[in-house]
Amino acid sequence: MAGSRMSRGRRRQQPDDGLTEKVININRVAKVVKGGRRFSFSAIVVVGDGDGKVGVGFGKANEVPEAIRKANVKARQKLFKVAMTQGTVAHDVIGQFGAGKVLLRPAAPGTGVIAGPTVRAILDAAGFRNVLTKCLGTSNPHNAVRATFAALQNLETPEQYAVRTGKDLAEVLSNYTVGEHVWGTRA
């Protein structure tokens, strides 16, 4: 019996799979019971490989490290591939969850990721280098995270975007070249 108690306290090491993790938010939650209040913690963690794979997890526990660990495990289970074109998004996209909306817009090379802290953590983990964003409606971290993931799941590759809009692929890809053609112009 004593041996089983000792094994509970040990922490398992996460495999070194090249994924980076970032804690987006930690919130203290109170539950009112007969004797007073019981406090627990909820955490939001984003995990990504910096090359188009990203996932988010929500965890809740009586202690902060355990909440972060649970969120990390869930984020690793929910990894998915994002359509990325030369470090930016191929087209404007809006993701919505609840009252929160997040707008993602392509940006010229050298612009960087212009976003609030919640959306920036997700885009950095996914590997985006040049994106313009705007949070609309609410800045609540839970809604902003889920709206950002809704937008990322709605992204299309340049080929898919060209087929859907009826443009030819060369016209769509010309927006990503630097040099004689001005970046971001539309014909």
Side-chain angles (χ1 to χ4, degrees), residues 31-60:
K31 176 183 177 184
V32 179
V33 295
K34 186 176 180 182
R37 293 188 185 103
R38 289 221 176 131
F39 294 103
S40 61
F41 297 91
S42 65
I44 305 173
V45 174
V46 65
V47 173
D49 67 350
D51 194 32
K53 284 181 83 174
V54 66
V56 68
F58 303 91
K60 189 172 179 184

Side-chain angles (χ1 to χ4, degrees), residues 44 56 58 78 93-103 118-119 122 134-154:
I44 305 173
V56 68
F58 303 91
K78 296 180 183 178
V93 64
I94 295 177
Q96 184 173 357
F97 183 85
K101 291 182 185 176
V102 173
L103 167 69
T118 303
V119 179
I122 295 168
K134 182 68 179 173
C135 278
L136 307 166
T138 182
S139 59
N140 178 334
H142 288 273
N143 288 341
V145 164
R146 292 185 182 189
T148 304
F149 273 86
L152 291 176
Q153 289 174 340
N154 290 334

Side-chain angles (χ1 to χ4, degrees), residues 71-95:
N72 189 357
V73 168
K74 289 179 184 176
R76 289 171 186 268
Q77 292 172 351
K78 296 180 183 178
L79 285 172
F80 70 97
K81 189 77 173 156
V82 177
M84 191 174 357
T85 305
Q86 299 177 4
T88 189
V89 295
H91 55 89
D92 291 1
V93 64
I94 295 177

Side-chain angles (χ1 to χ4, degrees), residues 50-51 82-90 106-112 127-131 156-159 169 172-178 183-184:
D51 194 32
V82 177
M84 191 174 357
T85 305
Q86 299 177 4
T88 189
V89 295
T111 303
F128 287 99
R129 295 182 304 277
N130 302 302
V131 181
E156 299 173 325
T157 63
E159 294 83 10
L169 185 60
V172 172
L173 290 177
S174 69
N175 290 335
Y176 298 103
T177 60
V178 179
W183 198 93

